[in-house]
Amino acid sequence: DQTSTSYLLLSLHRTLRTAAVMGLLWIRRSLEFQLELYASLIDRDGPHPRDADYEAYAKHLSPRKLFPFPATLSQMPERKAFIAMFGGVTLDELNEEVNREVVKKLQS
């Protein structure tokens, strides 16, 4: 009947709206986590990316108690490996100019 159909449509709408809101919330949390991690790469004397990763995880994702700290994140490479990757060069090709360009992009 029409009442049942209306109820089902309204229920479906609410479910989809809730799912969309939760999806956007987790995208935001993920972006905050990534922002903090990448910002730590700007300073040469900053923490090792593994430590920065753990701090960002603890601050943005862990309080939700939904995800344990992934073991793969504890195997993060050193800062220079990230900078080389972001600069599109190998570690052997990494130089001061590439470092400056990548840091400038990270700051913007």
Short mmCIF file of all heavy atoms in Angstrom, two decimals, residues 7-52:
data_model
loop_
_atom_site.label_atom_id
_atom_site.label_comp_id
_atom_site.label_asym_id
_atom_site.label_seq_id
_atom_site.Cartn_x
_atom_site.Cartn_y
_atom_site.Cartn_z
N TYR A 7 6.67 5.09 3.82
CA TYR A 7 7.52 4.83 4.99
C TYR A 7 8.87 4.27 4.56
O TYR A 7 9.91 4.69 5.06
CB TYR A 7 6.82 3.88 5.96
CG TYR A 7 7.70 3.51 7.13
CD1 TYR A 7 7.89 4.41 8.17
CD2 TYR A 7 8.36 2.29 7.16
CE1 TYR A 7 8.72 4.10 9.23
CE2 TYR A 7 9.19 1.96 8.22
CZ TYR A 7 9.37 2.88 9.26
OH TYR A 7 10.19 2.57 10.31
N LEU A 8 8.86 3.32 3.63
CA LEU A 8 10.10 2.72 3.14
C LEU A 8 10.99 3.75 2.45
O LEU A 8 12.20 3.78 2.65
CB LEU A 8 9.81 1.56 2.20
CG LEU A 8 9.31 0.28 2.86
CD1 LEU A 8 8.89 -0.73 1.80
CD2 LEU A 8 10.36 -0.31 3.77
N LEU A 9 10.39 4.61 1.64
CA LEU A 9 11.16 5.65 0.96
C LEU A 9 11.75 6.64 1.95
O LEU A 9 12.90 7.07 1.81
CB LEU A 9 10.28 6.36 -0.07
CG LEU A 9 9.95 5.56 -1.33
CD1 LEU A 9 8.96 6.33 -2.21
CD2 LEU A 9 11.20 5.22 -2.10
N LEU A 10 10.97 7.03 2.95
CA LEU A 10 11.46 7.95 3.97
C LEU A 10 12.59 7.30 4.76
O LEU A 10 13.62 7.93 5.03
CB LEU A 10 10.33 8.36 4.90
CG LEU A 10 10.70 9.35 6.01
CD1 LEU A 10 11.24 10.64 5.42
CD2 LEU A 10 9.49 9.63 6.89
N SER A 11 12.44 6.05 5.10
CA SER A 11 13.48 5.31 5.83
C SER A 11 14.75 5.20 5.00
O SER A 11 15.86 5.39 5.51
CB SER A 11 12.96 3.92 6.20
OG SER A 11 13.95 3.19 6.87
N LEU A 12 14.60 4.90 3.72
CA LEU A 12 15.75 4.81 2.82
C LEU A 12 16.45 6.15 2.71
O LEU A 12 17.68 6.23 2.76
CB LEU A 12 15.30 4.33 1.44
CG LEU A 12 16.39 4.23 0.38
CD1 LEU A 12 17.46 3.22 0.79
CD2 LEU A 12 15.79 3.86 -0.96
N HIS A 13 15.69 7.22 2.60
CA HIS A 13 16.27 8.57 2.51
C HIS A 13 17.09 8.89 3.75
O HIS A 13 18.21 9.40 3.67
CB HIS A 13 15.15 9.60 2.31
CG HIS A 13 15.66 11.00 2.23
ND1 HIS A 13 15.72 11.82 3.33
CD2 HIS A 13 16.15 11.71 1.20
CE1 HIS A 13 16.22 12.98 2.98
NE2 HIS A 13 16.48 12.95 1.69
N ARG A 14 16.56 8.60 4.92
CA ARG A 14 17.28 8.85 6.17
C ARG A 14 18.56 8.03 6.26
O ARG A 14 19.60 8.52 6.68
CB ARG A 14 16.39 8.55 7.37
CG ARG A 14 15.31 9.57 7.58
CD ARG A 14 14.48 9.23 8.79
NE ARG A 14 13.42 10.20 8.97
CZ ARG A 14 12.30 9.97 9.61
NH1 ARG A 14 12.07 8.77 10.13
NH2 ARG A 14 11.40 10.91 9.74
N THR A 15 18.49 6.77 5.85
CA THR A 15 19.66 5.89 5.89
C THR A 15 20.75 6.42 4.95
O THR A 15 21.92 6.49 5.33
CB THR A 15 19.27 4.46 5.49
OG1 THR A 15 18.28 3.99 6.41
CG2 THR A 15 20.47 3.53 5.52
N LEU A 16 20.36 6.79 3.75
CA LEU A 16 21.33 7.31 2.79
C LEU A 16 21.94 8.63 3.26
O LEU A 16 23.13 8.86 3.09
CB LEU A 16 20.69 7.47 1.42
CG LEU A 16 20.32 6.18 0.69
CD1 LEU A 16 19.57 6.49 -0.60
CD2 LEU A 16 21.55 5.35 0.41
N ARG A 17 21.13 9.48 3.84
CA ARG A 17 21.62 10.76 4.35
C ARG A 17 22.62 10.53 5.48
O ARG A 17 23.68 11.14 5.52
CB ARG A 17 20.45 11.62 4.82
CG ARG A 17 20.89 13.03 5.21
CD ARG A 17 19.73 13.90 5.60
NE ARG A 17 19.05 13.32 6.75
CZ ARG A 17 17.80 13.55 7.08
NH1 ARG A 17 17.06 14.34 6.35
NH2 ARG A 17 17.27 13.00 8.15
N THR A 18 22.30 9.61 6.38
CA THR A 18 23.21 9.29 7.48
C THR A 18 24.52 8.72 6.96
O THR A 18 25.60 9.10 7.41
CB THR A 18 22.55 8.29 8.46
OG1 THR A 18 21.35 8.87 8.96
CG2 THR A 18 23.47 7.93 9.59
N ALA A 19 24.44 7.82 5.98
CA ALA A 19 25.64 7.22 5.40
C ALA A 19 26.49 8.29 4.72
O ALA A 19 27.72 8.29 4.83
CB ALA A 19 25.26 6.13 4.41
N ALA A 20 25.86 9.22 4.03
CA ALA A 20 26.59 10.29 3.36
C ALA A 20 27.30 11.19 4.37
O ALA A 20 28.46 11.55 4.20
CB ALA A 20 25.65 11.11 2.49
N VAL A 21 26.61 11.52 5.44
CA VAL A 21 27.21 12.36 6.49
C VAL A 21 28.40 11.65 7.13
O VAL A 21 29.45 12.24 7.33
CB VAL A 21 26.15 12.75 7.55
CG1 VAL A 21 26.80 13.37 8.77
CG2 VAL A 21 25.13 13.69 6.95
N MET A 22 28.24 10.36 7.42
CA MET A 22 29.35 9.60 8.01
C MET A 22 30.53 9.50 7.04
O MET A 22 31.69 9.60 7.43
CB MET A 22 28.89 8.20 8.44
CG MET A 22 27.97 8.21 9.64
SD MET A 22 28.71 8.99 11.10
CE MET A 22 30.00 7.84 11.47
N GLY A 23 30.23 9.32 5.77
CA GLY A 23 31.29 9.26 4.76
C GLY A 23 32.07 10.55 4.71
O GLY A 23 33.30 10.55 4.68
N LEU A 24 31.38 11.67 4.70
CA LEU A 24 32.05 12.98 4.68
C LEU A 24 32.86 13.20 5.95
O LEU A 24 33.96 13.77 5.91
CB LEU A 24 31.01 14.10 4.50
CG LEU A 24 30.37 14.16 3.13
CD1 LEU A 24 29.23 15.19 3.12
CD2 LEU A 24 31.39 14.50 2.06
N LEU A 25 32.34 12.77 7.07
CA LEU A 25 33.06 12.90 8.34
C LEU A 25 34.37 12.14 8.30
O LEU A 25 35.42 12.64 8.70
CB LEU A 25 32.19 12.42 9.49
CG LEU A 25 32.78 12.52 10.89
CD1 LEU A 25 33.08 13.96 11.25
CD2 LEU A 25 31.81 11.92 11.89
N TRP A 26 34.35 10.91 7.78
CA TRP A 26 35.58 10.10 7.71
C TRP A 26 36.55 10.63 6.67
O TRP A 26 37.77 10.56 6.84
CB TRP A 26 35.26 8.63 7.49
CG TRP A 26 34.90 8.03 8.81
CD1 TRP A 26 33.64 7.70 9.25
CD2 TRP A 26 35.78 7.75 9.90
NE1 TRP A 26 33.71 7.23 10.53
CE2 TRP A 26 35.01 7.24 10.95
CE3 TRP A 26 37.16 7.88 10.08
CZ2 TRP A 26 35.56 6.86 12.17
CZ3 TRP A 26 37.71 7.49 11.29
CH2 TRP A 26 36.91 7.00 12.31
N ILE A 27 36.04 11.21 5.60
CA ILE A 27 36.93 11.87 4.63
C ILE A 27 37.64 13.02 5.31
O ILE A 27 38.85 13.20 5.15
CB ILE A 27 36.14 12.34 3.39
CG1 ILE A 27 35.71 11.14 2.56
CG2 ILE A 27 36.97 13.31 2.56
CD1 ILE A 27 34.75 11.47 1.44
N ARG A 28 36.91 13.80 6.08
CA ARG A 28 37.52 14.93 6.79
C ARG A 28 38.59 14.44 7.76
O ARG A 28 39.68 15.01 7.83
CB ARG A 28 36.45 15.71 7.53
CG ARG A 28 37.02 16.86 8.31
CD ARG A 28 35.97 17.63 9.04
NE ARG A 28 36.62 18.63 9.88
CZ ARG A 28 36.11 19.11 10.97
NH1 ARG A 28 34.92 18.71 11.38
NH2 ARG A 28 36.75 19.99 11.68
N ARG A 29 38.30 13.41 8.53
CA ARG A 29 39.27 12.89 9.49
C ARG A 29 40.52 12.38 8.77
O ARG A 29 41.64 12.60 9.22
CB ARG A 29 38.65 11.79 10.33
CG ARG A 29 37.62 12.31 11.29
CD ARG A 29 36.87 11.19 11.98
NE ARG A 29 35.89 11.73 12.90
CZ ARG A 29 34.87 11.04 13.38
NH1 ARG A 29 34.71 9.77 13.04
NH2 ARG A 29 34.02 11.60 14.20
N SER A 30 40.31 11.70 7.66
CA SER A 30 41.44 11.20 6.88
C SER A 30 42.30 12.34 6.35
O SER A 30 43.53 12.28 6.39
CB SER A 30 40.93 10.34 5.72
OG SER A 30 41.99 9.95 4.89
N LEU A 31 41.66 13.39 5.86
CA LEU A 31 42.40 14.55 5.35
C LEU A 31 43.16 15.26 6.46
O LEU A 31 44.30 15.71 6.26
CB LEU A 31 41.46 15.52 4.64
CG LEU A 31 40.90 15.02 3.31
CD1 LEU A 31 39.84 15.97 2.78
CD2 LEU A 31 42.01 14.82 2.30
N GLU A 32 42.57 15.36 7.65
CA GLU A 32 43.27 15.97 8.79
C GLU A 32 44.50 15.15 9.15
O GLU A 32 45.57 15.70 9.44
CB GLU A 32 42.33 16.08 9.98
CG GLU A 32 41.26 17.14 9.82
CD GLU A 32 40.23 17.11 10.94
OE1 GLU A 32 40.06 16.05 11.60
OE2 GLU A 32 39.58 18.14 11.14
N PHE A 33 44.35 13.83 9.15
CA PHE A 33 45.47 12.93 9.43
C PHE A 33 46.58 13.14 8.41
O PHE A 33 47.75 13.31 8.76
CB PHE A 33 44.96 11.48 9.40
CG PHE A 33 46.03 10.45 9.31
CD1 PHE A 33 46.77 10.11 10.42
CD2 PHE A 33 46.30 9.82 8.11
CE1 PHE A 33 47.77 9.14 10.34
CE2 PHE A 33 47.29 8.85 8.01
CZ PHE A 33 48.02 8.52 9.13
N GLN A 34 46.23 13.15 7.12
CA GLN A 34 47.23 13.31 6.07
C GLN A 34 47.88 14.68 6.12
O GLN A 34 49.10 14.80 5.92
CB GLN A 34 46.58 13.10 4.70
CG GLN A 34 46.15 11.67 4.47
CD GLN A 34 45.41 11.50 3.17
OE1 GLN A 34 45.81 12.04 2.15
NE2 GLN A 34 44.32 10.76 3.20
N LEU A 35 47.11 15.72 6.40
CA LEU A 35 47.66 17.06 6.50
C LEU A 35 48.72 17.14 7.58
O LEU A 35 49.81 17.68 7.37
CB LEU A 35 46.54 18.07 6.78
CG LEU A 35 46.99 19.51 7.01
CD1 LEU A 35 47.62 20.08 5.75
CD2 LEU A 35 45.81 20.37 7.44
N GLU A 36 48.42 16.59 8.73
CA GLU A 36 49.39 16.63 9.83
C GLU A 36 50.64 15.81 9.48
O GLU A 36 51.76 16.24 9.77
CB GLU A 36 48.76 16.11 11.12
CG GLU A 36 49.68 16.30 12.30
CD GLU A 36 48.96 16.25 13.62
OE1 GLU A 36 47.79 16.68 13.69
OE2 GLU A 36 49.58 15.80 14.58
N LEU A 37 50.46 14.66 8.87
CA LEU A 37 51.59 13.83 8.48
C LEU A 37 52.47 14.57 7.47
O LEU A 37 53.69 14.66 7.64
CB LEU A 37 51.13 12.51 7.90
CG LEU A 37 52.22 11.60 7.33
CD1 LEU A 37 53.21 11.20 8.40
CD2 LEU A 37 51.60 10.37 6.69
N TYR A 38 51.89 15.11 6.42
CA TYR A 38 52.67 15.78 5.38
C TYR A 38 53.29 17.08 5.90
O TYR A 38 54.38 17.46 5.48
CB TYR A 38 51.84 16.02 4.13
CG TYR A 38 51.39 14.74 3.47
CD1 TYR A 38 50.16 14.64 2.88
CD2 TYR A 38 52.20 13.61 3.47
CE1 TYR A 38 49.73 13.45 2.27
CE2 TYR A 38 51.80 12.43 2.88
CZ TYR A 38 50.56 12.36 2.28
OH TYR A 38 50.16 11.19 1.70
N ALA A 39 52.61 17.77 6.78
CA ALA A 39 53.17 18.99 7.35
C ALA A 39 54.44 18.69 8.14
O ALA A 39 55.36 19.52 8.20
CB ALA A 39 52.15 19.69 8.24
N SER A 40 54.52 17.50 8.72
CA SER A 40 55.72 17.14 9.48
C SER A 40 56.93 16.97 8.58
O SER A 40 58.07 17.03 9.04
CB SER A 40 55.48 15.85 10.28
OG SER A 40 55.46 14.73 9.40
N LEU A 41 56.71 16.79 7.28
CA LEU A 41 57.83 16.61 6.35
C LEU A 41 58.48 17.93 5.95
O LEU A 41 59.57 17.93 5.38
CB LEU A 41 57.34 15.90 5.08
CG LEU A 41 56.80 14.49 5.27
CD1 LEU A 41 56.22 13.98 3.96
CD2 LEU A 41 57.85 13.56 5.81
N ILE A 42 57.83 19.03 6.24
CA ILE A 42 58.35 20.34 5.84
C ILE A 42 59.67 20.64 6.54
O ILE A 42 60.62 21.10 5.91
CB ILE A 42 57.30 21.44 6.12
CG1 ILE A 42 56.11 21.24 5.17
CG2 ILE A 42 57.90 22.82 5.97
CD1 ILE A 42 54.93 22.13 5.46
N ASP A 43 59.75 20.37 7.81
CA ASP A 43 60.95 20.66 8.60
C ASP A 43 61.93 19.48 8.50
O ASP A 43 61.60 18.37 8.87
CB ASP A 43 60.56 20.91 10.06
CG ASP A 43 61.73 21.32 10.92
OD1 ASP A 43 62.83 21.56 10.39
OD2 ASP A 43 61.54 21.39 12.15
N ARG A 44 63.12 19.76 8.03
CA ARG A 44 64.14 18.70 7.93
C ARG A 44 64.43 18.06 9.27
O ARG A 44 64.77 16.89 9.34
CB ARG A 44 65.45 19.27 7.40
CG ARG A 44 65.56 19.29 5.96
CD ARG A 44 66.94 19.79 5.61
NE ARG A 44 66.89 20.39 4.32
CZ ARG A 44 67.54 19.91 3.28
NH1 ARG A 44 68.29 18.87 3.41
NH2 ARG A 44 67.42 20.48 2.12
N ASP A 45 64.35 18.85 10.31
CA ASP A 45 64.65 18.34 11.65
C ASP A 45 63.40 17.88 12.38
O ASP A 45 63.42 17.68 13.59
CB ASP A 45 65.38 19.41 12.47
CG ASP A 45 66.71 19.80 11.84
OD1 ASP A 45 67.38 18.90 11.28
OD2 ASP A 45 67.07 21.00 11.88
N GLY A 46 62.32 17.73 11.64
CA GLY A 46 61.07 17.29 12.24
C GLY A 46 61.17 15.82 12.64
O GLY A 46 62.18 15.15 12.42
N PRO A 47 60.10 15.31 13.21
CA PRO A 47 60.13 13.91 13.65
C PRO A 47 60.22 12.96 12.46
O PRO A 47 59.87 13.32 11.34
CB PRO A 47 58.78 13.75 14.37
CG PRO A 47 57.90 14.78 13.76
CD PRO A 47 58.81 15.95 13.42
N HIS A 48 60.70 11.76 12.72
CA HIS A 48 60.71 10.73 11.69
C HIS A 48 59.27 10.53 11.24
O HIS A 48 58.35 10.60 12.06
CB HIS A 48 61.28 9.43 12.28
CG HIS A 48 61.50 8.36 11.27
ND1 HIS A 48 60.47 7.63 10.73
CD2 HIS A 48 62.64 7.89 10.71
CE1 HIS A 48 60.96 6.75 9.87
NE2 HIS A 48 62.27 6.88 9.84
N PRO A 49 59.04 10.31 9.94
CA PRO A 49 57.65 10.13 9.47
C PRO A 49 56.88 9.06 10.24
O PRO A 49 55.68 9.18 10.43
CB PRO A 49 57.83 9.75 8.00
CG PRO A 49 59.07 10.46 7.60
CD PRO A 49 59.98 10.37 8.82
N ARG A 50 57.57 8.04 10.71
CA ARG A 50 56.90 7.00 11.51
C ARG A 50 56.32 7.60 12.78
O ARG A 50 55.19 7.35 13.16
CB ARG A 50 57.89 5.88 11.84
CG ARG A 50 57.33 4.80 12.74
CD ARG A 50 58.41 3.82 13.19
NE ARG A 50 59.51 4.49 13.85
CZ ARG A 50 60.76 4.55 13.37
NH1 ARG A 50 61.08 3.99 12.25
NH2 ARG A 50 61.69 5.19 14.04
N ASP A 51 57.11 8.46 13.45
CA ASP A 51 56.64 9.10 14.68
C ASP A 51 55.55 10.12 14.39
O ASP A 51 54.57 10.22 15.13
CB ASP A 51 57.81 9.76 15.40
CG ASP A 51 58.89 8.76 15.80
OD1 ASP A 51 58.54 7.59 16.07
OD2 ASP A 51 60.07 9.14 15.82
N ALA A 52 55.72 10.87 13.30
CA ALA A 52 54.70 11.84 12.91
C ALA A 52 53.40 11.13 12.54
O ALA A 52 52.30 11.60 12.87
CB ALA A 52 55.19 12.68 11.73
#
